[in-house]
């Protein structure tokens, strides 16, 4: 049995909790929060919620701590701090800062003799793994990543910060025409606008503000102005009824050529279609928590990513069974 | 530089030769054959062709021997024999006998202190890896593998053995309706007939034999009688013009549920669309040859499969670059 702790109980923490319940070799020991522990009710019976300050007391009871904080401010400090005491898994997803995060965490984990697996989830995570594998087996080619259809939390939040907006939900949607060009081995050079559209459902307090709010959304730098953006004004009831889920997904596609005259084309495609982004991400974190536990049992230590983990370490099955039934 | 030998120069051997030319860290040293070496002309300049009997002379010059023989009779004996002298990679694809092959090869490779990676390619190989990864991250679900559209060498050969058949080509084609049911999370229970159809292009010496030959194909046990089989009689010219390629591909799809009430559905799909089955397979073998070399450099030995190999060992890039650009 692998004893798991969860640090942070937002959407992702809840997704990890649900994931643990699907894995027979895992047991949830405790959840840690910055909020008042009394304010949190878990789905799992007989598991306690504790203040993050009390984490050290669980040093000998928890095999792997799964970190469910955010990448902007939580994980850059939490992952190295907590790796002083525990094996950890995180889903740090600021692509541009992954290497810096890796170096910070590696230093601590080598000292504490723990294993830290960073940047798991689906992107980074499963998508990264596929980008690497596809390039390894098709070196002469190009890969493309498309996201969606799915809810972008960051873009939804950006709309909510506009004056007069009550609530909002933003969907990122890949452009079908671009997907088809990629699949047809056309190796297109695609602008930001050609790859994704942004579809926004917005609740406002005063309908007179709609023209201004629509303009502010569409012209927002970085978030929307480089995209074809569609704005739909809806009632709060409609938003809650039709847009309360957290679906996501996407595509990694690589096309490439083989043969001495590069005469043969190949297409490799990996796609995800997820009803619940945090629950699927939670499942991935739990699979990497299993690998984290096993690596540390073998006396390994330091920081790892999905690129370091042998597939067999992710699954609760004997090697013999895997060779007989999965290979 | 990783020095590679190729054992067997049929379609797969040629595919491996082409693959080596696309990988800057690889060099082809020699090709070994059971045929007369003089009868073979390579695409790569200044590389010799030798009799398999002379392989031992290259013991110190070749880092990894890539075995390109067939699974029925060649590899069960060749892989263990050659693993006495060389690190080896094979594409043994008789799923039912993989475990036995593993045990045979492991014993030898542990003694010789070499690494042998067996059953690489795309199925077994990339598809196996995806089956494992998908189950690891979505334990509550079902996976499905579909093959095609592509040429099945075994089924084409079976048709050629029928009296009066001059040549033949058989395409395995997944049934679209079945694919859609799987993608819709219907978890269908599919019979052999419901998953694939078999489409045959056949050249006969005497048109009067066509009814008998069509009947013999459609009723052939194991190969055709469990499938909806279509037979098209064509001229030799047409067969050569339109059916001389070796395309293949397929799909691995897993659907599964998450959430405490299993309320959320997820679909993971991996697909390949290959113009040349042997050239793509060759590329996969070469990537695993790289891992084979690296593992042995780290003093590891014994038999491995795709389940044991960490993704980073497959690619010719620094870890820092991978974290910065691929993760």
């Amino acid at each position: 049995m692998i004893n798991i702790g969860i640090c942070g109980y937002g959407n992702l923490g809840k997704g990890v909790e649900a994931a643990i319940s699907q894995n027979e070799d895992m047991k949830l020991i405790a959840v840690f929060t910055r909020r008042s522990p009394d304010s949190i009710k878990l789905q799992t019976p007989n598991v306690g919620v504790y203040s993050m300050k009390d984490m050290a007391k669980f040093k000998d009871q928890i095999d792997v701590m799964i970190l469910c904080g955010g990448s902007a401010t939580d994980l850059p400090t939490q992952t190295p701090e907590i790796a002083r005491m525990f094996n950890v898994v995180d889903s740090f997803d600021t692509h541009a800062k992954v290497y810096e995060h890796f170096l910070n965490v590696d230093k601590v984990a080598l000292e504490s003799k723990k294993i830290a697996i960073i940047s798991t989830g689906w992107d980074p995570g499963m998508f990264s793994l596929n980008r690497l594998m596809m390039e390894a087996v098709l070196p002469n080619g190009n890969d493309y990543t498309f996201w969606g259809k799915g809810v972008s939390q960051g873009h939804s939040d950006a709309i909510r910060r506009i004056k007069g907006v009550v609530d909002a939900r933003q969907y990122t949607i890949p452009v079908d025409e671009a997907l088809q060009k990629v699949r047809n081995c056309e190796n297109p050079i695609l602008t930001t606008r050609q790859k994704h559209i942004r579809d926004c459902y917005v609740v406002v307090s005063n309908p007179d503000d709609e023209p201004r709010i629509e303009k502010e959304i569409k012209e927002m730098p970085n978030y929307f102005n480089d995209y074809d953006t569609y704005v739909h004004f809806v009632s709060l009831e409609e938003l809650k009824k039709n847009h309360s889920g957290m679906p996501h997904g996407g595509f990694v596609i690589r096309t490439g050529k083989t043969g001495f005259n590069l005469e043969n084309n190949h297409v490799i495609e990996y796609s995800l279609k997820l009803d619940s982004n945090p629950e699927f991400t939670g499942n991935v974190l739990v699979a990497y928590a299993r690998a984290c536990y096993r690596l540390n049992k073998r006396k390994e230590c330091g920081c790892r990513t999905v690129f370091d983990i042998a597939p067999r370490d992710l699954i609760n099955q004997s090697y013999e069974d895997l060779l007989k039934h999965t290979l």
Side-chain angles (χ1 to χ4, degrees), chain A:
Chain A
M1 212 56 148
I2 305 172
N3 294 319
I4 305 284
I6 293 175
C7 176
Y9 195 67
N11 290 324
L12 181 56
K14 289 172 188 170
V16 169
E17 184 190 11
I20 292 167
S21 75
Q22 290 194 342
N23 286 276
E24 289 176 0
D25 58 338
M26 304 259 173
K27 192 180 171 193
L28 179 60
I29 299 296
V31 170
F32 300 91
T33 180
R34 270 182 308 223
R35 289 178 277 167
S36 160
D38 296 340
S39 68
I40 290 173
K41 173 132 182 49
L42 305 183
Q43 297 270 326
T44 315
N46 306 318
V47 173
V49 181
Y50 304 89
S51 164
M52 283 196 192
K53 293 184 304 246
D54 296 328
M55 203 180 270
K57 294 176 192 162
F58 288 81
K59 207 173 164 341
D60 299 326
Q61 292 172 59
I62 288 174
D63 296 312
V64 183
M65 188 72 76
I66 300 182
L67 307 182
C68 300
S71 297
T73 55
D74 298 331
L75 298 176
T77 55
Q78 280 180 358
T79 309
E81 268 174 37
I82 298 174
R84 292 195 186 283
M85 292 182 285
F86 294 95
N87 297 306
V88 297
V89 172
D90 81 15
S91 62
F92 184 77
D93 68 358
T94 312
H95 289 262
K97 293 186 178 169
V98 164
Y99 189 62
E100 182 189 335
H101 188 55
F102 174 87
L103 294 175
N104 292 338
V105 175
D106 193 44
K107 187 168 177 295
V108 175
L110 287 171
E111 287 166 10
S112 66
K113 307 258 186 272
K114 300 292 182 187
I115 285 283
I117 308 183
I118 61 163
S119 300
T120 70
W122 61 272
D123 196 2
M126 293 297 101
F127 274 19
S128 322
L129 194 60
N130 274 280
R131 284 187 288 262
L132 186 155
M133 295 295 302
M134 289 179 191
E135 188 173 351
V137 300
L138 206 50
N140 190 324
N142 293 303
D143 64 56
Y144 297 82
T145 301
F146 293 87
W147 297 277
K149 182 182 177 175
V151 172
S152 164
Q153 222 57 57
H155 288 78
S156 301
D157 287 345
I159 299 173
R160 285 188 204 106
R161 286 191 293 265
I162 293 172
K163 197 181 158 202
V165 171
V166 175
D167 203 353
R169 190 61 51 114
Q170 193 268 186
Y171 295 95
T172 306
I173 305 175
V175 175
D176 244 341
E177 195 192 345
L179 268 171
Q180 288 312 325
K181 278 187 181 169
V182 169
R183 288 184 182 129
N184 291 341
C185 302
E186 295 177 30
N187 290 298
I189 295 166
L190 298 166
T191 63
T192 299
R193 189 178 301 274
Q194 286 168 324
K195 285 187 75 182
H196 296 95
I197 65 170
R198 301 208 172 272
D199 204 27
C200 314
Y201 292 80
V202 184
V203 182
V204 297
S205 47
N206 182 352
D208 295 347
D209 293 338
E210 289 180 1
R212 172 189 53 84
I213 288 171
E214 179 163 347
K215 189 165 182 288
E216 282 192 41
I217 293 173
K218 290 186 170 176
E219 294 178 356
M220 196 185 297
N222 302 319
Y223 285 90
F224 294 101
N225 71 337
D226 291 333
Y227 297 85
D228 288 339
T229 300
Y230 301 88
V231 178
H232 315 271
F233 292 102
V234 296
S235 68
L236 192 56
E237 292 66 40
E238 193 184 331
L239 194 81
K240 285 190 172 157
K241 188 174 160 226
N242 297 330
H243 305 283
S244 64
M246 283 177 282
H248 220 312
F251 305 82
V252 180
I253 307 174
R254 186 173 181 91
T255 63
K257 290 173 184 296
T258 63
F260 275 97
N261 302 307
L262 302 179
E263 63 273 35
N264 288 310
N265 284 302
H266 306 275
V267 185
I268 314 177
E269 178 164 341
Y270 177 84
S271 68
L272 294 172
K273 196 173 157 215
L274 312 173
D275 273 0
S276 166
N277 184 354
E279 286 181 5
F280 183 77
T281 303
N283 266 18
V284 178
L285 266 73
V286 160
Y288 280 93
R290 179 178 291 121
C292 185
Y293 171 80
R294 291 183 184 173
L295 266 64
N296 194 244
K297 278 279 166 198
R298 299 201 290 262
K299 309 286 181 201
E300 295 189 37
C301 63
C303 190
R304 301 287 188 277
T305 68
V306 294
F307 296 156
D308 297 282
I309 307 301
R312 67 184 288 185
D313 278 326
L314 297 167
I315 198 161
N316 181 26
Q317 277 182 45
S318 76
Y319 192 60
E320 182 176 338
D321 279 348
L322 289 173
L323 293 202
K324 286 181 173 172
H325 306 298
T326 306
L327 194 80

